[in-house]
Amino acid sequence: MRVLITGIAGFSGLHLTEYILSQVKDDDNIDLYGIDIERNVSKEGESLLDNVRFFACDILDEEELKKTIRQVGPDRIFHLAGLTSNSSASVKKFYATNVFGTVNLLEAARELRNGSLVHIACSSAEYGLIAESENPITEDNRFHPVSTYAISKLAQDMTGYQYHKNYGLRVIRTR
């Protein structure tokens, strides 16, 4: 199985890499690949990435991303690339990265036509302001995003849903 992690050099990407590598047994046939803008990680992160085929690729570069996806031919994609809630990026940068970067990835997966499963890491921030009576939050809660980050993650989330419904792409979205 070919597993691709976007945003592999980020916090979540490194933790997922560490987890996957800890679960792989000698007789498992798992090839791990990673995409990030650059391989800029700590010494501990570097040792993890030594076990991964790394591609320097910006998810906003549609053609480079499609080329990389075709080259890897992933069976599973964990989409962790994007701007986080602690970023001071502009509104346009949040939307470009989190929404259009996701569109680029989903288009690349759709064009691959290999039935790959795409996991999109969304955010509980999509729920926004929750009344005390609404706790604990469930998937039945309404969305009330109150930050640029939350709105961009909700748009990312719904884009994944739309690609599943309209194109039959296998997409899992988690918040």
Side-chain angles (χ1 to χ4, degrees):
M1 177 186 330
R2 293 171 167 251
V3 176
L4 173 68
I5 301 171
T6 69
I8 195 165
F11 178 80
S12 297
L14 289 172
H15 282 285
L16 180 58
T17 300
E18 181 177 37
Y19 176 76
I20 290 172
L21 291 173
S22 74
Q23 299 301 304
V24 174
K25 296 170 183 51
D26 290 337
D27 59 343
D28 288 340
N29 187 18
I30 295 178
D31 297 318
L32 192 54
Y33 300 83
I35 291 175
D36 216 309
I37 292 175
E38 60 184 354
R39 190 176 169 136
N40 184 15
V41 293
S42 66
K43 188 179 251 186
E44 295 79 22
E46 192 61 45
S47 67
L48 284 172
L49 293 186
D50 286 342
N51 297 293
V52 173
R53 177 111 187 260
F54 180 85
F55 292 87
C57 179
D58 185 342
I59 62 171
L60 292 176
D61 186 336
E62 183 178 8
E63 291 309 312
E64 186 64 26
L65 183 60
K66 284 181 178 181
K67 177 182 158 193
T68 302
I69 297 292
R70 280 192 304 270
Q71 186 176 350
V72 172
D75 301 297
R76 304 282 185 272
I77 301 170
F78 291 93
H79 181 40
L80 306 179
L83 293 177
T84 62
S85 60
N86 62 358
S87 174
S88 60
S90 70
V91 171
K92 287 181 180 180
K93 186 71 173 171
F94 265 108
Y95 293 157
T97 304
N98 292 349
V99 182
F100 295 115
T102 299
V103 169
N104 290 343
L105 177 70
L106 294 172
E107 278 295 310
R110 186 168 77 100
E111 289 179 14
L112 189 60
R113 290 186 175 95
N114 75 341
S116 58
L117 178 66
V118 180
H119 170 262
I120 300 174
C122 301
S123 173
S124 63
E126 296 172 43
Y127 295 109
L129 297 176
I130 300 296
E132 190 63 37
S133 62
E134 294 180 283
N135 279 314
I137 296 172
T138 70
E139 288 192 4
D140 294 327
N141 283 69
R142 291 181 23 186
F143 297 116
H144 300 283
V146 294
S147 68
T148 301
Y149 167 74
I151 293 168
S152 74
K153 295 301 279 187
L154 179 57
Q156 178 187 55
D157 187 341
M158 294 297 106
T159 299
Y161 178 73
Q162 182 255 324
Y163 268 75
H164 168 70
K165 286 298 194 185
N166 292 341
Y167 305 117
L169 203 62
R170 296 173 58 212
V171 177
I172 296 173
R173 307 161 341 211
T174 55
R175 288 179 217 110

mmCIF file of all heavy atoms in Angstrom, residues 130-157:
data_model
loop_
_atom_site.group_PDB
_atom_site.id
_atom_site.type_symbol
_atom_site.label_atom_id
_atom_site.label_comp_id
_atom_site.label_asym_id
_atom_site.label_seq_id
_atom_site.Cartn_x
_atom_site.Cartn_y
_atom_site.Cartn_z
ATOM 1 N N ILE A 130 -20.337 27.700 20.680
ATOM 2 C CA ILE A 130 -21.279 26.661 21.077
ATOM 3 C C ILE A 130 -21.902 27.047 22.416
ATOM 4 O O ILE A 130 -21.191 27.394 23.363
ATOM 5 C CB ILE A 130 -20.559 25.299 21.215
ATOM 6 C CG1 ILE A 130 -19.926 24.879 19.893
ATOM 7 C CG2 ILE A 130 -21.488 24.219 21.738
ATOM 8 C CD1 ILE A 130 -20.906 24.616 18.778
ATOM 9 N N ALA A 131 -23.216 26.977 22.483
ATOM 10 C CA ALA A 131 -23.903 27.235 23.754
ATOM 11 C C ALA A 131 -23.604 26.109 24.723
ATOM 12 O O ALA A 131 -23.368 24.965 24.312
ATOM 13 C CB ALA A 131 -25.403 27.343 23.516
ATOM 14 N N GLU A 132 -23.589 26.421 25.983
ATOM 15 C CA GLU A 132 -23.319 25.409 27.016
ATOM 16 C C GLU A 132 -24.255 24.211 26.861
ATOM 17 O O GLU A 132 -23.848 23.066 27.060
ATOM 18 C CB GLU A 132 -23.452 26.032 28.414
ATOM 19 C CG GLU A 132 -22.973 25.140 29.529
ATOM 20 C CD GLU A 132 -21.484 24.808 29.460
ATOM 21 O OE1 GLU A 132 -20.686 25.675 29.081
ATOM 22 O OE2 GLU A 132 -21.128 23.658 29.779
ATOM 23 N N SER A 133 -25.483 24.472 26.474
ATOM 24 C CA SER A 133 -26.476 23.402 26.318
ATOM 25 C C SER A 133 -26.164 22.481 25.133
ATOM 26 O O SER A 133 -26.731 21.401 25.025
ATOM 27 C CB SER A 133 -27.872 23.993 26.152
ATOM 28 O OG SER A 133 -27.926 24.781 24.978
ATOM 29 N N GLU A 134 -25.281 22.913 24.249
ATOM 30 C CA GLU A 134 -24.929 22.106 23.076
ATOM 31 C C GLU A 134 -23.777 21.148 23.344
ATOM 32 O O GLU A 134 -23.405 20.381 22.452
ATOM 33 C CB GLU A 134 -24.566 23.014 21.900
ATOM 34 C CG GLU A 134 -25.718 23.830 21.379
ATOM 35 C CD GLU A 134 -25.285 24.704 20.218
ATOM 36 O OE1 GLU A 134 -24.626 25.740 20.486
ATOM 37 O OE2 GLU A 134 -25.596 24.350 19.068
ATOM 38 N N ASN A 135 -23.206 21.199 24.528
ATOM 39 C CA ASN A 135 -22.101 20.296 24.870
ATOM 40 C C ASN A 135 -22.643 18.957 25.328
ATOM 41 O O ASN A 135 -23.683 18.917 25.984
ATOM 42 C CB ASN A 135 -21.223 20.912 25.971
ATOM 43 C CG ASN A 135 -20.261 21.913 25.386
ATOM 44 O OD1 ASN A 135 -19.623 21.647 24.380
ATOM 45 N ND2 ASN A 135 -20.171 23.074 26.009
ATOM 46 N N PRO A 136 -22.000 17.870 25.040
ATOM 47 C CA PRO A 136 -20.803 17.781 24.214
ATOM 48 C C PRO A 136 -21.152 17.957 22.730
ATOM 49 O O PRO A 136 -22.256 17.636 22.297
ATOM 50 C CB PRO A 136 -20.282 16.380 24.486
ATOM 51 C CG PRO A 136 -21.487 15.588 24.834
ATOM 52 C CD PRO A 136 -22.419 16.556 25.531
ATOM 53 N N ILE A 137 -20.199 18.453 21.978
ATOM 54 C CA ILE A 137 -20.379 18.672 20.547
ATOM 55 C C ILE A 137 -20.491 17.316 19.849
ATOM 56 O O ILE A 137 -19.725 16.401 20.128
ATOM 57 C CB ILE A 137 -19.188 19.457 19.959
ATOM 58 C CG1 ILE A 137 -19.125 20.858 20.566
ATOM 59 C CG2 ILE A 137 -19.280 19.536 18.443
ATOM 60 C CD1 ILE A 137 -17.869 21.621 20.189
ATOM 61 N N THR A 138 -21.473 17.217 18.956
ATOM 62 C CA THR A 138 -21.607 16.035 18.110
ATOM 63 C C THR A 138 -21.639 16.505 16.661
ATOM 64 O O THR A 138 -21.702 17.713 16.392
ATOM 65 C CB THR A 138 -22.907 15.256 18.409
ATOM 66 O OG1 THR A 138 -24.024 16.036 17.955
ATOM 67 C CG2 THR A 138 -23.046 14.952 19.898
ATOM 68 N N GLU A 139 -21.662 15.573 15.737
ATOM 69 C CA GLU A 139 -21.728 15.950 14.325
ATOM 70 C C GLU A 139 -23.075 16.567 13.959
ATOM 71 O O GLU A 139 -23.240 17.107 12.870
ATOM 72 C CB GLU A 139 -21.417 14.750 13.438
ATOM 73 C CG GLU A 139 -19.958 14.371 13.496
ATOM 74 C CD GLU A 139 -19.557 13.381 12.435
ATOM 75 O OE1 GLU A 139 -20.381 13.025 11.583
ATOM 76 O OE2 GLU A 139 -18.393 12.981 12.452
ATOM 77 N N ASP A 140 -24.035 16.481 14.869
ATOM 78 C CA ASP A 140 -25.342 17.099 14.621
ATOM 79 C C ASP A 140 -25.363 18.586 14.970
ATOM 80 O O ASP A 140 -26.318 19.286 14.627
ATOM 81 C CB ASP A 140 -26.433 16.377 15.419
ATOM 82 C CG ASP A 140 -26.635 14.951 14.931
ATOM 83 O OD1 ASP A 140 -26.472 14.704 13.718
ATOM 84 O OD2 ASP A 140 -26.939 14.083 15.769
ATOM 85 N N ASN A 141 -24.333 19.071 15.661
ATOM 86 C CA ASN A 141 -24.264 20.498 15.981
ATOM 87 C C ASN A 141 -24.175 21.311 14.700
ATOM 88 O O ASN A 141 -23.561 20.872 13.713
ATOM 89 C CB ASN A 141 -23.040 20.812 16.847
ATOM 90 C CG ASN A 141 -23.225 20.407 18.283
ATOM 91 O OD1 ASN A 141 -23.285 19.217 18.581
ATOM 92 N ND2 ASN A 141 -23.294 21.381 19.170
ATOM 93 N N ARG A 142 -24.759 22.505 14.735
ATOM 94 C CA ARG A 142 -24.669 23.421 13.598
ATOM 95 C C ARG A 142 -23.300 24.085 13.599
ATOM 96 O O ARG A 142 -22.662 24.217 14.639
ATOM 97 C CB ARG A 142 -25.765 24.462 13.685
ATOM 98 C CG ARG A 142 -27.137 23.864 13.442
ATOM 99 C CD ARG A 142 -28.236 24.872 13.492
ATOM 100 N NE ARG A 142 -27.773 26.228 13.221
ATOM 101 C CZ ARG A 142 -28.531 27.297 13.313
ATOM 102 N NH1 ARG A 142 -29.777 27.170 13.666
ATOM 103 N NH2 ARG A 142 -28.056 28.492 13.070
ATOM 104 N N PHE A 143 -22.895 24.522 12.423
ATOM 105 C CA PHE A 143 -21.629 25.237 12.294
ATOM 106 C C PHE A 143 -21.843 26.720 12.572
ATOM 107 O O PHE A 143 -22.806 27.318 12.087
ATOM 108 C CB PHE A 143 -21.049 25.060 10.887
ATOM 109 C CG PHE A 143 -20.699 23.638 10.549
ATOM 110 C CD1 PHE A 143 -21.361 22.969 9.536
ATOM 111 C CD2 PHE A 143 -19.704 22.967 11.241
ATOM 112 C CE1 PHE A 143 -21.038 21.661 9.214
ATOM 113 C CE2 PHE A 143 -19.371 21.664 10.925
ATOM 114 C CZ PHE A 143 -20.044 21.010 9.918
ATOM 115 N N HIS A 144 -20.933 27.304 13.353
ATOM 116 C CA HIS A 144 -20.934 28.731 13.656
ATOM 117 C C HIS A 144 -19.487 29.236 13.641
ATOM 118 O O HIS A 144 -19.004 29.760 14.636
ATOM 119 C CB HIS A 144 -21.533 29.001 15.043
ATOM 120 C CG HIS A 144 -22.935 28.542 15.211
ATOM 121 N ND1 HIS A 144 -24.010 29.227 14.691
ATOM 122 C CD2 HIS A 144 -23.444 27.455 15.832
ATOM 123 C CE1 HIS A 144 -25.121 28.575 14.988
ATOM 124 N NE2 HIS A 144 -24.806 27.501 15.684
ATOM 125 N N PRO A 145 -18.776 29.079 12.521
ATOM 126 C CA PRO A 145 -17.370 29.482 12.517
ATOM 127 C C PRO A 145 -17.220 30.981 12.739
ATOM 128 O O PRO A 145 -17.999 31.768 12.204
ATOM 129 C CB PRO A 145 -16.890 29.079 11.123
ATOM 130 C CG PRO A 145 -18.123 29.056 10.287
ATOM 131 C CD PRO A 145 -19.243 28.658 11.204
ATOM 132 N N VAL A 146 -16.239 31.371 13.562
ATOM 133 C CA VAL A 146 -16.081 32.789 13.901
ATOM 134 C C VAL A 146 -14.681 33.321 13.581
ATOM 135 O O VAL A 146 -14.361 34.434 13.973
ATOM 136 C CB VAL A 146 -16.427 33.055 15.382
ATOM 137 C CG1 VAL A 146 -17.900 32.807 15.643
ATOM 138 C CG2 VAL A 146 -15.570 32.217 16.307
ATOM 139 N N SER A 147 -13.867 32.553 12.899
ATOM 140 C CA SER A 147 -12.537 33.035 12.527
ATOM 141 C C SER A 147 -12.272 32.679 11.067
ATOM 142 O O SER A 147 -12.927 31.793 10.498
ATOM 143 C CB SER A 147 -11.454 32.394 13.413
ATOM 144 O OG SER A 147 -11.340 31.011 13.131
ATOM 145 N N THR A 148 -11.325 33.358 10.498
ATOM 146 C CA THR A 148 -10.932 33.064 9.123
ATOM 147 C C THR A 148 -10.481 31.615 9.011
ATOM 148 O O THR A 148 -10.833 30.909 8.064
ATOM 149 C CB THR A 148 -9.812 34.020 8.672
ATOM 150 O OG1 THR A 148 -10.301 35.358 8.784
ATOM 151 C CG2 THR A 148 -9.371 33.741 7.267
ATOM 152 N N TYR A 149 -9.713 31.174 9.989
ATOM 153 C CA TYR A 149 -9.250 29.781 10.001
ATOM 154 C C TYR A 149 -10.449 28.836 9.977
ATOM 155 O O TYR A 149 -10.516 27.917 9.158
ATOM 156 C CB TYR A 149 -8.403 29.526 11.244
ATOM 157 C CG TYR A 149 -8.150 28.066 11.511
ATOM 158 C CD1 TYR A 149 -7.247 27.346 10.726
ATOM 159 C CD2 TYR A 149 -8.814 27.393 12.532
ATOM 160 C CE1 TYR A 149 -7.020 25.999 10.959
ATOM 161 C CE2 TYR A 149 -8.592 26.048 12.770
ATOM 162 C CZ TYR A 149 -7.698 25.354 11.984
ATOM 163 O OH TYR A 149 -7.485 24.023 12.210
ATOM 164 N N ALA A 150 -11.412 29.047 10.862
ATOM 165 C CA ALA A 150 -12.567 28.158 10.970
ATOM 166 C C ALA A 150 -13.382 28.134 9.681
ATOM 167 O O ALA A 150 -13.825 27.075 9.234
ATOM 168 C CB ALA A 150 -13.438 28.587 12.147
ATOM 169 N N ILE A 151 -13.554 29.282 9.069
ATOM 170 C CA ILE A 151 -14.313 29.350 7.819
ATOM 171 C C ILE A 151 -13.562 28.619 6.712
ATOM 172 O O ILE A 151 -14.164 27.874 5.929
ATOM 173 C CB ILE A 151 -14.615 30.814 7.439
ATOM 174 C CG1 ILE A 151 -15.582 31.417 8.465
ATOM 175 C CG2 ILE A 151 -15.190 30.914 6.029
ATOM 176 C CD1 ILE A 151 -15.723 32.916 8.367
ATOM 177 N N SER A 152 -12.244 28.791 6.664
ATOM 178 C CA SER A 152 -11.469 28.093 5.633
ATOM 179 C C SER A 152 -11.510 26.584 5.842
ATOM 180 O O SER A 152 -11.564 25.813 4.888
ATOM 181 C CB SER A 152 -10.021 28.605 5.594
ATOM 182 O OG SER A 152 -9.263 28.141 6.694
ATOM 183 N N LYS A 153 -11.520 26.131 7.095
ATOM 184 C CA LYS A 153 -11.594 24.694 7.374
ATOM 185 C C LYS A 153 -12.981 24.147 7.052
ATOM 186 O O LYS A 153 -13.110 23.024 6.557
ATOM 187 C CB LYS A 153 -11.207 24.396 8.819
ATOM 188 C CG LYS A 153 -9.758 24.716 9.155
ATOM 189 C CD LYS A 153 -8.770 23.929 8.287
ATOM 190 C CE LYS A 153 -8.572 22.528 8.802
ATOM 191 N NZ LYS A 153 -7.511 21.792 8.084
ATOM 192 N N LEU A 154 -14.025 24.932 7.304
ATOM 193 C CA LEU A 154 -15.376 24.502 6.953
ATOM 194 C C LEU A 154 -15.504 24.382 5.432
ATOM 195 O O LEU A 154 -16.086 23.412 4.926
ATOM 196 C CB LEU A 154 -16.409 25.478 7.509
ATOM 197 C CG LEU A 154 -17.878 25.158 7.194
ATOM 198 C CD1 LEU A 154 -18.270 23.770 7.682
ATOM 199 C CD2 LEU A 154 -18.777 26.230 7.801
ATOM 200 N N ALA A 155 -14.965 25.341 4.707
ATOM 201 C CA ALA A 155 -15.000 25.269 3.240
ATOM 202 C C ALA A 155 -14.214 24.052 2.751
ATOM 203 O O ALA A 155 -14.641 23.358 1.814
ATOM 204 C CB ALA A 155 -14.443 26.560 2.641
ATOM 205 N N GLN A 156 -13.081 23.770 3.387
ATOM 206 C CA GLN A 156 -12.284 22.583 3.045
ATOM 207 C C GLN A 156 -13.110 21.316 3.292
ATOM 208 O O GLN A 156 -13.158 20.408 2.459
ATOM 209 C CB GLN A 156 -11.016 22.577 3.892
ATOM 210 C CG GLN A 156 -10.111 21.395 3.685
ATOM 211 C CD GLN A 156 -8.976 21.389 4.698
ATOM 212 O OE1 GLN A 156 -9.207 21.431 5.902
ATOM 213 N NE2 GLN A 156 -7.753 21.347 4.202
ATOM 214 N N ASP A 157 -13.740 21.253 4.443
ATOM 215 C CA ASP A 157 -14.583 20.133 4.843
ATOM 216 C C ASP A 157 -15.688 19.896 3.810
ATOM 217 O O ASP A 157 -15.878 18.776 3.306
ATOM 218 C CB ASP A 157 -15.161 20.469 6.223
ATOM 219 C CG ASP A 157 -15.944 19.364 6.897
ATOM 220 O OD1 ASP A 157 -16.384 18.410 6.224
ATOM 221 O OD2 ASP A 157 -16.132 19.463 8.120
#
